[in-house]
Amino acid sequence: MSEPLLALEAVSKTYGGGYRLWPFGHRAGFTAVAGVDLVIESGAAVGLVGESGSGKTTLARIAAGLLPASAGGLRWCGRALMQLSRAERAEYRRGVQYIFQNPMTALNPHRRVGAALDDTLQGLTRMDRARRRARIEEIGAQTGVGAALLGRFPHQLSGGQAQRVAIARALLGAPRLVILDEPVSALDVSLQAQILNLLADLRARHGLAYLFISHDLAVMERLCEQIHVMQAGRIVESGPRDVLLRRPEAPYTRRLLAAVPRIG
Amino acid sequence: MSGGAQPLPGTGALAVATRRLRRHPAALAGLALLALVLLPVLAAPLLSLPDPALTDPARRMLPPLAIGHLLGTDHLGRDLLARLLWGARTSIAVGALATLTAAAVGSVLGLAAAWGGRRLDGLLMRGVDVLMAFPYLLLALAIVAALGPGLANAMLAIAVANVPFFARAVRGTVLDIRHCDYIAAARLAGHGEPRIVLREVLPNLAPTLLLLMTTTLGWMVLETAGLSFLGLGAQPPAADLGSMLGEGREFLTTYPLVAVLPGLLILLLVVSINLLGDGLRDVLDPRWSPRRSFSAPAPADARLQSQLEGGASLLAVQDLGVRFAGAAGPVPAVAGVSFRLNAGECVAVVGESGCGKTLTALSLLGLLPEGASQVGSVRLAGRELMALDGAALRDLRGRRIAYVPQEPLTALDPLFRVGVQMDETLRAHGAGPAYTAAELIRMVGLDGVPGLMRRYPHEFSGGQRQRVAIALALAHGPDLLIADEATTALDVTVQREILALLRRLCDEQARALLFVSHDLALVAELCERVLVMYAGRIVEDAPAAALLHRPAHPYSAALLGATPELGRPDKPLAVLAGEPPAPGERVDGCRFAPRCPRAQRECRAVEPALDALGEHRLVRCLFPIQEAS
């Protein structure tokens, strides 16, 4: 495995902008991400920390293929996304999954949990009904989404249950990289602990790579080996967890670390 | 949450909808009324009614209950009942057809505009705007004038005139749906656009569309009647309700029945359709649940004597309870909450969501949600708040007790400059404010922000907005500040600044702060004392340092054990299984016992009281964790 699983190369994203008719001229847009390079090795857990508006979520959505980059590109297993064959593209689609910050809005309120999971499998694989059911059962057992939850509508779930469903959905297609966008910030500490433990277990079990986005350094420290600090659309500091947290170089990283509330 | 969490019995969507419809009185009333009207109308061909077009000048204007004519005859001797029923058939058919046409065309346009990118959106919506620029009865009239009078043309005219309405509404709804994460999730599942529209968008659009259609149907029946009334719709001898109304108008003074009957039928039709439409929207939304009838809030037990009388505390809360009216009697959400707060003291309330933290805070302000009532005693500087009426409480809020919201973006009015909102706050409460605007701005550290007063809330960063909100809360120099998760939405660096500000206000100005939070680490830095709440009760009341280093209640310990700490990445996170009991859920003995790792048999027998443990600590536990040394 010499090539990284996913590489973002000089990725930029600008919102708005373009030409306008009156007064005629070029209008500058808002640059959310400015030329970011990011490499995720197979099985690695990479953290992306920064304050709101720093471009974390935009970058993550570009990595997941949910948002086109304005400039720069993605490489999947060493090959540019544009050059992938149809089959390889499907593999990328199945290989990268995303877990949203708010699990409630990430589930269609009109679909029962079981149906939503089945939809995902239908889209990602060519399994028949019996195999799909078996797969949902298998992943459900690992993520704590039991048969009782499958019959429910999203509004009948608690926040922790909904996030477990979202995690189950992301794992169904056997992804290699899961992008986690603040997956625990909407949850109470007790549920947060459950989900963090679950994420650590699942990573060990499936050999997953994580791109973990958070503003909570304590949570990030638990889960990630590599941390990137983002500020105003750029990565201002990167490094292995222990180095970056013990000996931060960038002033912004230092400020971030100093601001973390500590017990005792 | 868990109260409604039982999976519904029966799986068919229709079975579910029928069951829910039965619990919706307004929809049922609409349905019954509509059936009452529709049944004879639909059965008209089966009833042995006289020919509605058969004139008989000899038997004109017969009163109701005449032989052979149940409702009498009109000015040409035609049977009124037959004309009414056949006319209603025409009106309803034309209205329904026009609705379906307008909905179908409008939905396609709206969907295409919302989904098809900015260019197509611009093109389609400008076209729709052009149609909308005409007063739409005028538009319908113009279309009929161009095509010639007649029912089919009237139908077409009404449909065209209503297309913009549907197109705009559908576009708006689809734009909202489009930005939901579940659409992104469907893309991640590799689904194509057609399937996403079909599976994810349409089911979420359906309730809106159905509601629009039912309300429009009533409206369209009216419009058909309007056009026919003007002689542009149904042509004699055919009649619909509108043309009957038009004919009857000439005899309004001499024989009003001819006009009144069709008018009444139109009214009944429109009202019943609208009632049913409103109900259907609810029934089709899986999130809707039948509203329980709330009884009037029980009068607060103001005479409850405070046993802690004579203390110098700023705030003394005694046996505070908050109840919701439920189907089977009041449901206690908060019970037996007692604590005191001194001037200059910062006290935190922590616990999982649903444990009653926010309800406790809101009840101090007398701002409970609808259907909730409170009991117990809340004394602010010796004055019993529970005995105050609405006006007195309003006067107190802002002046003596102030509130700092979680998200100031929603608490500040987006349409007004900050200066205007500050002025308004300063001028409230008659008596002069404690500070001038300039003093307030300096107090919260916003001096030096250029053009501050002339800016709108959205022109500030999150931290600045929270400072503005705090400045507004301080305007009248309140004795007590209540902050509900006031820093949760902020970035850590900003959060730190706001915490420092709150702490400084308490120290320098001797204000008390009640800080509601779920973050123990945060609380540790800000507050002297922590109240841990579980299932509506205080389970531990202890100095912050003692609580964080030596929690006595197993629940406090569990919360601490579940909190990740920076610098201790290998600390095992203790998982607290299960969830707190729902308000009103029956739990024998200690309410934490089902989740408690230390629970003994005694714990399930009797609920422990909040007892003193050592000098400065209160714990609601039979077997508190004792200090190790």
Side-chain angles (χ1 to χ4, degrees), chain B residues 192-239:
Chain B
E193 301 294 300
R195 170 154 174 161
I196 292 178
V197 169
L198 214 64
R199 280 284 181 88
E200 314 287 336
V201 178
L202 287 186
N204 286 295
L205 177 64
T208 316
L209 198 58
L210 202 77
L211 178 75
L212 286 177
M213 279 171 69
T214 41
T215 46
T216 320
L217 176 62
W219 196 215
M220 298 248 194
V221 169
L222 268 182
E223 282 166 29
T224 320
L227 284 182
S228 292
F229 180 84
L230 297 173
L232 299 171
Q235 299 300 309

Side-chain angles (χ1 to χ4, degrees), chain A residues 215-261:
Chain A
H215 62 265
D216 188 337
L217 278 170
V219 166
M220 182 153 289
E221 187 189 20
R222 299 187 69 82
L223 230 56
C224 304
E225 292 116 25
Q226 185 84 19
I227 296 179
H228 300 274
V229 182
M230 221 174 153
Q231 187 188 20
R234 294 171 197 281
I235 290 184
V236 293
E237 185 167 6
S238 305
R241 174 187 77 188
D242 293 332
V243 177
L244 188 127
L245 294 180
R246 301 255 158 75
R247 292 189 298 278
E249 300 270 327
Y252 178 67
T253 314
R254 289 192 189 157
R255 244 188 318 136
L256 214 54
L257 268 167
V260 176

Side-chain angles (χ1 to χ4, degrees), chain B residues 68-384:
Chain B
H69 302 286
L70 195 58
L71 290 178
T73 57
D74 69 359
H75 56 290
L76 295 175
R78 294 174 293 196
D79 183 61
L80 262 181
L81 181 63
R83 283 180 69 73
L84 212 54
L85 295 186
W86 284 97
R89 284 170 75 91
T90 314
S91 288
I92 294 170
V94 171
L97 219 57
T99 307
L100 283 177
T101 316
V105 177
S107 304
V108 170
L109 285 180
L111 205 61
W115 211 263
R118 224 191 300 174
R119 295 243 165 90
L120 186 63
D121 185 23
L123 197 71
L124 287 176
M125 292 329 282
R126 292 304 80 75
V128 163
D129 287 347
V130 169
L131 273 186
M132 269 203 140
F134 291 98
Y136 85 122
L137 191 61
L138 207 65
L139 184 65
L141 282 174
I143 294 170
V144 173
L147 299 178
L151 265 180
N153 291 343
M155 191 279 284
L156 204 65
I158 294 169
V160 170
N162 278 288
V163 161
F165 169 68
F166 277 100
R168 291 187 80 134
V170 166
R171 174 178 172 267
T173 313
V174 173
L175 278 181
D176 282 348
I177 296 172
R178 205 187 144 174
H179 290 118
C180 280
D181 286 340
Y182 57 81
I183 300 294
R187 293 225 164 87
L188 286 168
H191 292 310
E193 301 294 300
R195 170 154 174 161
I196 292 178
V197 169
L198 214 64
R199 280 284 181 88
E200 314 287 336
V201 178
L202 287 186
N204 286 295
L205 177 64
T208 316
L209 198 58
L210 202 77
L211 178 75
L212 286 177
M213 279 171 69
T214 41
T215 46
T216 320
L217 176 62
W219 196 215
M220 298 248 194
V221 169
L222 268 182
E223 282 166 29
T224 320
L227 284 182
S228 292
F229 180 84
L230 297 173
L232 299 171
Q235 299 300 309
D240 72 348
L241 293 176
S243 60
M244 287 179 69
L245 202 61
E247 287 172 15
R249 186 180 47 158
E250 296 166 35
F251 311 97
L252 205 54
T253 45
T254 49
Y255 191 58
L257 203 61
V258 181
V260 167
L261 281 177
L264 216 59
L265 197 55
I266 292 174
L267 180 76
L268 277 181
L269 265 177
V270 174
V271 167
S272 61
I273 290 172
N274 285 356
L275 277 177
L276 184 64
D278 269 351
L280 279 182
R281 176 197 46 187
D282 293 342
V283 166
L284 288 181
D285 188 340
R287 285 161 290 189
W288 178 81
S289 70
R291 198 197 178 113
R292 289 162 202 102
S293 54
F294 285 120
S295 60
D301 186 3
R303 270 151 291 284
L304 194 97
Q305 273 300 320
S306 169
Q307 299 144 355
L308 296 160
E309 211 130 15
S313 296
L314 172 69
L315 179 77
V317 176
Q318 186 68 28
D319 274 327
L320 178 75
V322 178
R323 297 166 181 170
F324 282 95
V331 177
V334 172
V337 165
S338 305
F339 65 93
R340 321 181 109 218
L341 196 54
N342 298 317
E345 198 181 12
C346 290
V347 170
V349 184
V350 299
E352 288 167 281
S353 24
C355 281
K357 308 187 298 273
T358 296
L359 278 177
T360 303
L362 289 178
S363 68
L364 301 182
L365 291 151
L367 287 177
L368 287 176
E370 196 184 337
S373 56
Q374 61 193 86
V375 295
S377 157
V378 177
R379 285 171 166 269
L380 185 72
R383 188 168 170 209
E384 177 57 65

Side-chain angles (χ1 to χ4, degrees), chain B residues 359-413:
Chain B
L359 278 177
T360 303
L362 289 178
S363 68
L364 301 182
L365 291 151
L367 287 177
L368 287 176
E370 196 184 337
S373 56
Q374 61 193 86
V375 295
S377 157
V378 177
R379 285 171 166 269
L380 185 72
R383 188 168 170 209
E384 177 57 65
L385 302 191
M386 302 288 264
L388 299 180
D389 59 5
L393 259 180
R394 256 198 309 285
D395 178 57
L396 211 72
R397 283 199 292 265
R399 218 162 48 76
R400 306 297 303 277
I401 308 181
Y403 184 72
V404 182
Q406 173 170 358
E407 180 33 277
L409 192 55
T410 54
L412 296 173
D413 191 324

